[in-house]
Amino acid sequence: MNYTGGRVNMKKNIDSVIDRIDLMLKTTPESYSTSKQLMVHREFLIESTNYLKNFNHTIAFIGKVGVGKTTALSKLLNLLDGNGNEVLQTGSGRTTVCEVEVRESNRVSIEIEPYSNEEIEKYLEEFHMHIENKTSNKTSQSESFTLSSEIERALRNMLELKIRRFMENGKRKRVDDAVELYNKCNSKDEFYQELLHRIDLANRTTTELVATTSDYKEWIRSNFEDINNGKNKNISLPKKIIINIDENPVNIPNINLSFLDTKGVDETVNRQDIENLLKDSYTISVLCTSFNDAPDKVNTGTLKYMKDSGLTKYISERIIILVLDKNGEAEAIPDLEEPDLEDGREIRKEQIEGDLKNSLGLEDIDIVFFNSKEDGTEELMSILTDKVLDLRKEHENKVKTIIESLDEIEKQIDTQLSSEALQRIRESVLVWIEDAKNIQCKLKKNFTHILDTIQDKGTHASVIRACVNRRGQWHNLDYYKILSDASRYQTVKAFDESKNKLSHIISNMLKQESLKYQKSTLISIQNVLEKRVEEIYEEAYAMGACVYEDDLYEDDNLWSNMIWEWGKGPGYKNRIANITEQWFLNQDYDAFDKEKSNILNSMWQELLIEINNLIENEN
């Protein structure tokens, strides 16, 4: 389908279909199930049409720190200089300070979305703590404060406070300029004020650089490195870097495709930026892993998160596992009689599929292998672009199916065969409805998930301190997101099994020739079921934190008390967990949980009524 050439025609054709539905609605009594079906078809026709009007798609690379995402992306987009080196700065991990987007434009430029001054001041406070810890012997090793190496590197360059290494009298010496400055200051506040002065945020206001040379790859390499490392004195600490290139690396006519290199995962995959990508219907998420670790903790953690969040149906549609193998790894598989790259990859693929099936019960996930140093890019790029086009084809097919359903309604509305088919559908669906009426969601103590996360051995004390310093909002530990996730998890657990049962029933009925006269009914039920249940889950997520959010964030005493717990010795994580738990226990959480549960249960009952209306007898 030529999307550009067909945009006007598509709109005209869809408008005519909507007019057709509206005309049918005028001649169909509102009490008839056919009228309800027509309304559903109208809703989903508009939804799919609106989807197809948007031509912007993203391919996002997600993976643990140092797995090779940036190198693979550079090779895929030919962001290599004349010597074959990556234009985007790479290393052994913890190199890129933020997420990086590459997209086609009519000019070569680099855009910077900076952290706010308030956010940077928080980083400076933590840099202050980091340096203070280095000068003190009081803090235990388990509760020492550390910054991520990429943030620390950028801040040191912005502050011009480097760690200098040199030889003196035949011995290696190391001098930390920040420690030297700290020791010269008369107070902690004087040191912090000096940091504010040095970083000079007032003059770091540039948010775009435009290439002025024909050698754009060298220009990107040089400027990206400076921005990423905090070396450009006119640019603030980047939250996101957007690289615009004036060539199309992807051959999909009329589709605006961007590539996103996400910030490497270290502590947890439960990050808001990653969730936004997983839930985005225009995004293909590429889960990167090494050959020997596949599927690694980031892969399995991401997939489990999607499953627990009620997003299982999107895994096969929007996810690719990209195994980044290195020379010799596939050939060294023990099961091979003699070294063979393709056989080795095939054996490893079968092992990965087995692991995912056994651990998560998941099948039909695309698993692709790519050696950034040796492989060509054509096959991988083709797989990725086909995946994007499949997202659009799903909505094109939905539009086509709706139009076919309208034809069936006009042909079969008064036939005996249509009535018999409807009766068979009613019998099966009504049994499901009666069972589903008894299902109840009972939310309970979502805040306990925060306590579990804080006390988890994988959660570092400095992550908790960074979270506390931001009143519960930190990418690796977010009180509000955890509350929302816990609410959604419990809701999915309550309703998903029943939803899947009806979905299976409808899928089987759609394959039966004798029920083809009521295809419109089945399609309506299927669309309503998926959409409304997804709305229930999103409502659960939205409500999870909302009843606490304002009071929690604005409680100065709570956050002040937790800030003062830092530096008091062993047991910091337990103290923060106890203070957090006591705050929630002081809230009327039982009433909140009951109120939220009632809303979700009402939405579920409304879904049952809507499905019942789609299968009512028309007499």
Side-chain angles (χ1 to χ4, degrees), residues 48-306:
S48 288
T49 302
N50 288 338
Y51 181 94
L52 292 170
K53 287 178 181 177
N54 185 343
F55 296 85
N56 299 315
H57 288 268
T58 300
I59 295 178
F61 282 62
I62 300 168
K64 68 180 181 180
V65 172
V67 77
K69 295 184 290 88
T70 307
T71 299
L73 188 57
S74 296
K75 176 69 176 290
L76 188 66
L77 301 181
N78 194 30
L79 289 175
L80 307 170
D81 63 19
N83 297 318
N85 298 315
E86 291 90 354
V87 169
L88 305 182
Q89 184 182 15
T90 60
S92 58
R94 299 195 177 277
T95 304
T96 310
V97 75
C98 62
E99 72 176 21
V100 180
E101 180 180 355
V102 181
R103 63 191 184 193
E104 184 188 4
S105 178
N106 57 5
R107 64 177 181 176
V108 177
S109 67
I110 300 178
E111 298 176 46
I112 301 95
E113 295 180 6
Y115 282 99
S116 67
N117 287 357
E118 181 181 358
E119 289 172 311
I120 293 174
E121 288 169 6
K122 293 292 185 184
Y123 273 124
L124 289 180
E125 290 176 20
E126 289 159 1
F127 181 75
H128 177 291
M129 292 174 58
H130 177 53
I131 299 305
E132 182 183 2
N133 285 346
K134 295 180 73 171
T135 65
S136 172
N137 296 321
K138 295 180 180 179
T139 305
S140 68
Q141 183 67 28
S142 64
E143 295 181 0
S144 61
F145 192 90
T146 57
L147 285 166
S148 67
S149 58
E150 60 271 33
I151 291 292
E152 181 181 353
R153 179 175 57 248
L155 286 178
R156 282 183 176 274
N157 286 327
M158 295 170 75
L159 295 164
E160 296 185 352
L161 294 173
K162 300 181 180 181
I163 296 176
R164 293 179 287 115
R165 294 176 174 85
F166 53 91
M167 294 291 292
E168 186 176 280
N169 298 325
K171 295 183 179 180
R172 291 188 177 277
K173 294 202 67 174
R174 178 182 183 277
V175 175
D176 188 333
D177 289 341
V179 171
E180 295 284 299
L181 177 62
Y182 181 87
N183 290 332
K184 289 178 182 177
C185 292
N186 295 317
S187 67
K188 296 178 182 179
D189 184 63
E190 181 181 341
F191 177 64
Y192 180 71
Q193 293 303 318
E194 178 63 21
L195 296 181
L196 284 175
H197 172 72
R198 281 172 168 266
I199 206 165
D200 193 19
L201 293 176
N203 289 315
R204 294 181 178 273
T205 57
T206 299
T207 56
E208 184 177 17
L209 301 177
V210 180
T212 57
T213 175
S214 59
D215 188 359
Y216 80 87
K217 290 184 179 179
E218 174 56 29
W219 180 87
I220 291 175
R221 187 203 63 75
S222 176
N223 284 281
F224 176 80
E225 183 175 349
D226 285 347
I227 295 167
N228 185 57
N229 289 327
K231 292 181 178 179
N232 188 315
K233 294 185 178 182
N234 298 315
I235 295 175
S236 190
L237 186 67
K239 197 171 191 175
K240 181 176 182 178
I241 300 173
I242 301 170
I243 298 175
N244 297 301
I245 55 178
D246 62 354
E247 63 179 52
N248 185 359
V250 187
N251 186 25
I252 310 183
N254 311 312
I255 296 294
N256 305 317
L257 189 59
S258 65
F259 290 79
L260 191 68
D261 185 10
T262 61
K263 188 173 174 61
V265 177
D266 47 12
E267 296 277 343
T268 177
V269 297
N270 189 7
R271 293 184 351 204
Q272 190 63 56
D273 62 324
I274 293 178
E275 173 172 340
N276 293 341
L277 295 170
L278 298 175
K279 290 167 62 176
D280 182 28
S281 60
Y282 291 90
T283 296
I284 298 298
S285 294
V286 182
L287 308 184
C288 300
T289 178
S290 65
F291 186 88
N292 292 324
D293 291 339
D296 64 20
K297 290 183 178 180
V298 173
N299 295 167
T300 55
T302 301
L303 296 172
K304 184 178 187 303
Y305 179 82
M306 291 185 73

Side-chain angles (χ1 to χ4, degrees), residues 331-396:
E331 294 92 326
I333 287 284
D335 295 342
L336 289 174
E337 294 183 3
E338 58 183 50
D340 184 278
L341 175 64
E342 295 305 321
D343 284 349
R345 285 178 168 181
E346 187 62 31
I347 291 171
R348 193 73 184 94
K349 180 182 178 182
E350 292 171 0
Q351 293 171 346
I352 296 168
E353 289 172 338
D355 287 343
L356 293 174
K357 184 176 181 179
N358 292 332
S359 62
L360 297 173
L362 295 175
E363 299 180 275
D364 300 324
I365 302 175
D366 288 330
I367 300 172
V368 184
F369 292 79
F370 184 63
N371 183 324
S372 301
K373 298 298 182 184
E374 297 294 328
D375 290 345
T377 61
E378 294 81 6
E379 182 179 357
L380 175 57
M381 186 65 81
S382 176
I383 292 170
L384 293 173
T385 53
D386 284 349
K387 202 81 169 171
V388 170
L389 292 176
D390 284 344
L391 295 179
R392 304 188 69 81
K393 286 177 183 176
E394 179 184 353
H395 287 274
E396 292 171 6

